[in-house]
Amino acid sequence: MTDISPEPAAGGPGDGIPDDLSALFADPALRDRLEKEARDAVRGTRAGMADATTGTPRDLPAPLPAPEASGLVFDDEDDDQEHGAVPAPRTPAEVQRTWKDAFPEGTFDSAAWAHRKKVFLHKLAWHAGHTHVYMWRLTKLSALGVGAGLRDGWHYYTAQEYAEMVDTARRKNMAPDMVAALREERLEYARARRREPMLIGATTGVGTLIAAAIAVAQVYGLLAASPAAMLTLGVLSALGLREHRRRNPDEPLTAAFAVLPASTAEHAPLTDDLLNRVLRIAKVFTKDEHAVTLLEPIRPAEINGIEAKFKLPEDIQFSALVAKKEAIAGALDIEAHWLDIRQDGSPTRVSFWYCSSDPFGQPRTSPLVDKPERTDVWSRGILIGFNRRNLPVYLKLRHVMALLGGMSRTGKGMLLRNLIVGLGLDPRVNLRLVAGAKPGEHRGYAPICSTFFGRRPDRLIDLLEGFLKEAYRREEILEEQGRAKFGEADLDEFPLEILIIDEYKQYASSSMRIPDPTDDREDGPRRTIKACDRIAELLEEIAAFAAALNMTILISTQDPDANTVPRGYKSNTGARAATRTGGAVQTNAILKDGATGAGLRAHEIPESLKGGAIVDIDGAPGELIRSYFIEDEEFDGAADLIRAGLFLREEMGRAPGQFPDPIEDYLLAVTGESSLAGGPTGSGRPGRPAGTPGARVELGVLELILDAFEDDADRIQMSAVRAHLADYSHLRWGQQEDETEAAYTARVGKELAAAIDEALEGTGVELTPKSGMRFGKDDSGREIKGSGFHRSHVEAAVEAARNARK
């Protein structure tokens, strides 16, 4: 319990304090001083600055819930007294003001000034490039001014107002002597005006200026006469503007000489004028009075980007901008994915970002490649890529099921590569990887995998059953503790179990049949069901409740349709990522129903954007990203990261095999084979653990034959089987020196037949090569025939041998 009372006075407790406390409060001055000192002491404690009611209980607000993050916790000695939440004392940076605070925001912002400089230079270049337009307009105005000046001067010199009076008098048939008097008066006024000093001086000055400009131009050239010429031109243009306004009183004064808007230039720097123009072109603004209000200065952003934060008019909401995103991008002459519009607080506050070049144009290597570091999967997430603003994107796999999908060769594997190496760098994660096709491409991840195997539907069922069994065990512990879910503090005892099933479609379309677990009769043959149906059933059951138990499943699949991913599993997924898909149906199958209508169109990701994906995850809902690059063709760029992860796990006793693993122990007990760190060979082939007697090695022969099949092939030649067996163990199955081809074929055939018979002993199932099988045509068009195996026959043999072991 923490004591937050002020420290006692010097001299120890009770120093200077009388025994009779009533006498202490008898003096009003002393009482006031003590109260003031108590208030000052409170201000320096956790409670912060006290208000005017300190020491007097009133209707205080309920205390705020304690934060989850670690930190100091202050307990009150009186548990029955309810205290209000008082803000912590403000730091000096919060309360201290400087002379800079008196200036508008952005006055001393170097980034804002850099943008202002860019805007100024662009306007200067823009207007300089349109000098000919301005000179033509000045020339027209000057000509208008010359005409107006000559006309007004002539009218003044000759007193034309009297001429109009004479014409009026004549039209009204006034007396001739009246008309003559007006004419005489006109002549007198005209003579008097021509002798006015102001008129003489102005005429002399204008004439001298023009004559001087002409003389200087003839002697020294036009450049020397330009100041006088520009002055003359300015005077004449002013006269022209005045005349234009006289002729067009309803038009604004600037209509005759409007400055060309620099915002109309291609890729002009962003200004509020350009923003308003773009939003009007995109039909977001439909009224003349609509305009944005900048909340802070426009400033440069990442990767040649520009960002503006502004407020929309009150009758326009943020959703209107999102609906017009493509039109806005068109008005800016950029691609739609170069633009990012986000709500910045209220529905009328907007963070508007775009760049004039492709933000995903250049691939970026994962920062972990150059600097491997421990990953915080729980709090921060796994670094998987970057968004259009060049900000890193993290995927959190806590209390969530996940789904990753897309077409082949669209970057799905690279996204999964970033995910796996990130998981390997957190020792609190038990990583289990199941490959739907050949596990060779994932073999490099084996050292950090608690479970790793490939293309074995029956073993995946066993794994999911062990996963479910562990989930029930954890759920019972939660029930005993009266808790709803595990947290980060439980990771030491209950590590984060993450199962990744890659190429799930291979399992969803598997034709293998297994005994029905609901058929418990002891006599007669048991009923069978499809393995794919059992897998889907287990996935849905696990997804319904296991996320809160620090247990996560991530499914990766390509070309999915509405029926590929089990509906019960998909409805419980909270993290989804889709690389480029083949159409709206596939997009909705990966992300969510109605995703395309919400703007999440993964099928519209440009083909040129390798590794591009739309993620719908915590912190980046519906955002377009590009996965970081980790070399996987010329060399294994993830090898150092895997070694770093393994070293980190070994140092903490969390490497595969160093800690109790109920799920892998269940697999070993059921199948007799281990897939820890990829099995005995680390290749993703389960096998008997070293030093463990009793496992039947011949069973591995059947699975080796199954591994030899191509992904979608339903049959295989014996020559391909022999080659695959030789790759696995050249000493046993390979062609030896001085051994002829015929002798090699005969030897391997006999050994293989004997191994198969021994593996299937007592099962009632036989597996022999079929002769005369057709395997397509060769380059010359001749049909290929030979002996081989059917996939369905091999799968049935593997299942029969597996059931015999249970």
Side-chain angles (χ1 to χ4, degrees):
M1 189 170 299
T2 304
D3 183 12
I4 63 173
S5 61
E7 297 181 358
D15 186 19
I17 299 179
D19 296 333
D20 185 7
L21 295 179
S22 61
L24 183 67
F25 297 96
D27 186 1
L30 179 61
R31 185 171 61 249
D32 292 341
R33 182 174 62 83
L34 291 175
E35 182 180 354
K36 180 178 182 300
E37 291 177 354
R39 294 181 185 277
D40 293 338
V42 170
R43 290 189 176 96
T45 65
R46 173 78 176 184
M49 298 184 65
D51 60 5
T53 61
T54 299
T56 305
R58 298 199 184 268
D59 294 332
L60 300 177
L64 295 176
E68 293 183 0
S70 61
L72 296 177
V73 179
F74 292 84
D75 298 330
D76 197 281
E77 295 182 357
D78 186 4
D79 295 332
D80 297 329
Q81 184 178 4
E82 184 180 13
H83 286 273
V86 182
R90 292 180 292 175
T91 63
E94 294 174 327
V95 298
Q96 185 177 1
R97 295 180 61 85
T98 64
W99 59 272
K100 294 183 179 181
D101 297 329
F103 292 86
E105 184 180 0
T107 303
F108 303 98
D109 191 336
S110 59
W113 279 108
H115 180 70
R116 293 187 185 109
K117 179 181 177 182
K118 186 177 180 180
V119 172
F120 171 77
L121 294 177
H122 174 267
K123 288 183 177 180
L124 183 63
W126 166 264
H127 294 308
H130 292 79
T131 304
H132 59 287
V133 178
Y134 297 135
M135 289 304 299
W136 173 244
R137 292 181 176 180
L138 282 173
T139 302
K140 291 197 300 181
L141 282 177
S142 299
L144 186 61
V146 168
L150 292 176
R151 182 202 64 206
D152 293 344
W154 175 254
H155 281 197
Y156 191 78
Y157 274 115
T158 60
Q160 284 296 312
E161 67 273 18
Y162 280 93
E164 295 174 359
M165 294 170 62
V166 171
D167 291 339
T168 302
R170 293 177 62 183
R171 285 196 302 270
K172 292 184 177 181
N173 296 323
M174 298 180 67
D177 54 345
M178 181 65 71
V179 176
L182 288 174
R183 287 176 177 172
E184 184 63 26
E185 189 175 354
R186 173 191 177 189
L187 293 175
E188 290 178 2
Y189 268 90
R191 292 191 193 99
R193 288 177 178 178
R194 287 193 288 270
R195 291 192 295 267
E196 290 179 356
M198 182 65 70
L199 182 62
I200 295 173
T203 304
T204 303
V206 172
T208 302
L209 180 61
I210 295 174
I214 295 174
V216 172
Q218 289 181 346
V219 176
Y220 299 103
L222 294 176
L223 183 62
S226 58
M230 292 301 297
L231 179 59
T232 305
L233 191 63
V235 173
L236 295 177
S237 299
L239 292 174
L241 280 174
R242 188 185 68 172
E243 178 63 17
H244 178 81
R245 187 172 185 180
R246 187 188 68 83
R247 296 180 180 181
N248 305 279
D250 296 334
E251 291 186 6
L253 184 62
T254 57
F257 189 77
V259 177
L260 296 177
S263 60
T264 58
E266 185 177 1
H267 300 311
L270 188 64
T271 61
D272 52 350
D273 291 336
L274 178 58
L275 269 173
N276 290 323
R277 175 176 172 271
V278 166
L279 295 181
R280 284 190 175 87
I281 293 175
K283 301 297 176 57
V284 178
F285 289 171
T286 57
K287 300 178 182 179
D288 294 338
E289 61 271 17
H290 282 164
V292 300
T293 302
L294 292 180
L295 300 175
E296 59 184 52
I298 300 174
R299 51 175 53 89
E302 300 80 5
I303 49 176
N304 298 323
I306 195 76
E307 182 177 18
K309 294 186 178 181
F310 57 84
K311 193 174 187 303
L312 292 168
E314 294 181 356
D315 56 341
I316 297 179
Q317 305 298 320
F318 170 76
S319 57
L321 264 70
V322 177
K324 297 286 187 178
K325 183 177 180 179
E326 293 185 1
I328 294 173
L332 289 170
D333 194 23
I334 60 174
E335 296 285 345
H337 69 273
W338 300 5
L339 173 65
D340 185 30
I341 305 175
R342 299 182 183 180
Q343 184 172 318
D344 187 27
S346 69
T348 59
R349 296 171 63 99
V350 179
S351 173
F352 187 91
W353 179 97
Y354 79 96
C355 66
S356 56
S357 59
D358 189 355
F360 299 116
Q362 295 295 328
R364 290 173 175 78
T365 303
S366 173
L368 294 176
V369 173
D370 297 327
K371 187 181 179 181
E373 61 182 7
R374 178 171 175 175
T375 302
D376 185 358
V377 173
W378 185 271
S379 300
R380 195 175 188 185
I382 307 107
L383 183 64
I384 58 175
F386 59 95
N387 62 10
R388 55 171 60 88
R389 299 193 184 201
N390 199 29
L391 300 176
V393 177
Y394 295 86
L395 174 61
K396 294 181 180 179
L397 290 180
R398 65 176 189 188
H399 298 166
V400 68
M401 299 292 161
L403 178 60
L404 167 63
M407 294 176 62
S408 178
R409 310 301 298 175
T410 57
K412 187 172 71 280
M414 188 58 66
L415 192 60
L416 193 62
R417 189 170 177 82
N418 280 274
L419 186 63
I420 292 174
V421 297
L423 291 170
L425 289 169
D426 192 337
R428 302 174 300 176
V429 174
N430 292 344
L431 176 60
R432 307 186 190 276
L433 178 59
V434 177
K438 290 185 177 180
E441 61 177 310
H442 299 316
R443 184 170 183 171
Y445 308 133
I448 60 172
C449 292
S450 298
T451 301
F452 171 49
F453 60 87
R455 205 177 56 191
R456 289 171 172 80
D458 52 343
R459 189 171 185 85
L460 175 57
I461 292 174
D462 295 334
L463 174 60
L464 291 174
E465 289 175 346
F467 206 82
L468 185 61
K469 183 178 180 181
E470 171 65 8
Y472 284 134
R473 184 183 75 87
R474 294 187 177 192
E475 187 180 45
E476 290 178 359
I477 295 175
L478 275 183
E479 290 178 355
E480 293 174 359
Q481 297 177 353
R483 300 165 58 192
K485 61 183 178 181
F486 287 123
E488 186 176 11
D490 302 300
L491 289 178
D492 291 337
E493 185 177 358
F494 303 100
L496 191 60
E497 290 283 351
I498 296 183
L499 169 59
I500 299 177
I501 306 176
D502 188 28
E503 300 297 349
Y504 173 74
K505 193 173 183 180
Q506 300 294 331
Y507 292 105
S509 59
S510 173
S511 60
M512 176 182 287
R513 301 190 69 86
I514 62 170
D516 188 350
T518 62
D519 186 3
D520 55 356
R521 53 186 170 181
E522 298 180 357
D523 55 336
R526 297 177 61 185
R527 188 169 58 249
T528 61
I529 60 173
K530 290 184 177 180
C532 58
D533 293 338
R534 178 58 177 163
I535 292 173
E537 178 185 351
L538 289 169
L539 284 174
E540 291 183 334
E541 185 175 358
I542 293 172
F545 75 100
L549 307 172
N550 287 0
M551 304 183 74
T552 293
I553 296 180
L554 183 146
I555 288 179
S556 172
T557 183
Q558 68 178 22
D559 300 327
D561 54 35
N563 300 318
T564 299
V565 181
R567 180 171 295 276
Y569 175 86
K570 181 183 175 182
S571 62
N572 284 292
T573 55
R576 305 179 182 92
T579 59
R580 184 165 55 86
T581 62
V585 174
Q586 292 184 3
T587 298
N588 291 335
I590 299 170
L591 297 176
K592 56 185 176 182
D593 294 337
T596 55
L600 309 183
R601 299 182 176 90
H603 51 284
E604 295 180 2
I605 296 177
E607 187 175 353
S608 58
L609 182 53
K610 302 296 184 183
I614 292 180
V615 295
D616 190 7
I617 59 179
D618 182 21
E623 186 169 10
L624 178 64
I625 71 165
R626 183 172 185 177
S627 58
Y628 283 119
F629 177 72
I630 302 177
E631 182 61 57
D632 60 345
E633 293 184 0
E634 296 184 4
F635 60 91
D636 187 2
D640 291 340
L641 296 175
I642 298 302
R643 282 194 292 269
L646 182 60
F647 175 79
L648 182 62
R649 289 168 178 266
E650 288 175 344
E651 287 291 310
M652 302 182 65
R654 291 287 302 148
Q658 288 184 324
F659 59 92
D661 189 345
I663 297 177
E664 186 62 30
D665 290 344
Y666 175 84
L667 275 178
L668 183 61
V670 171
T671 67
E673 294 180 330
S674 172
S675 51
L676 184 74
T681 62
S683 61
R685 296 186 180 94
R688 181 183 60 181
T692 303
R696 298 181 62 178
V697 179
E698 290 76 15
L699 182 60
V701 172
L702 298 176
E703 296 188 351
L704 282 174
I705 298 174
L706 188 60
D707 279 340
F709 282 84
E710 295 294 334
D711 292 345
D712 299 325
D714 63 344
R715 61 193 65 193
I716 189 173
Q717 287 182 281
M718 280 300 301
S719 59
V721 174
R722 288 192 296 269
H724 187 71
L725 292 173
D727 290 339
Y728 179 74
S729 176
H730 183 79
L731 182 63
R732 180 180 182 186
W733 303 108
Q735 186 174 359
Q736 308 302 318
E737 294 183 4
D738 302 330
E739 187 177 26
T740 63
E741 185 69 26
Y744 165 66
T745 302
R747 177 180 64 83
V748 172
K750 291 180 181 180
E751 291 186 11
L752 183 60
I756 292 174
D757 290 342
E758 188 173 355
L760 294 175
E761 182 179 358
T763 63
V765 177
E766 295 182 356
L767 179 65
T768 57
K770 303 295 182 182
S771 60
M773 296 178 64
R774 294 181 172 85
F775 299 96
K777 298 181 179 180
D778 57 16
D779 296 337
S780 62
R782 296 179 58 186
E783 191 169 34
I784 302 174
K785 294 183 178 181
S787 60
F789 295 100
H790 285 284
R791 179 191 286 272
S792 59
H793 296 166
V794 178
E795 289 178 342
V798 171
E799 181 60 25
R802 177 66 57 84
N803 292 334
R805 293 182 54 80
K806 293 184 178 180

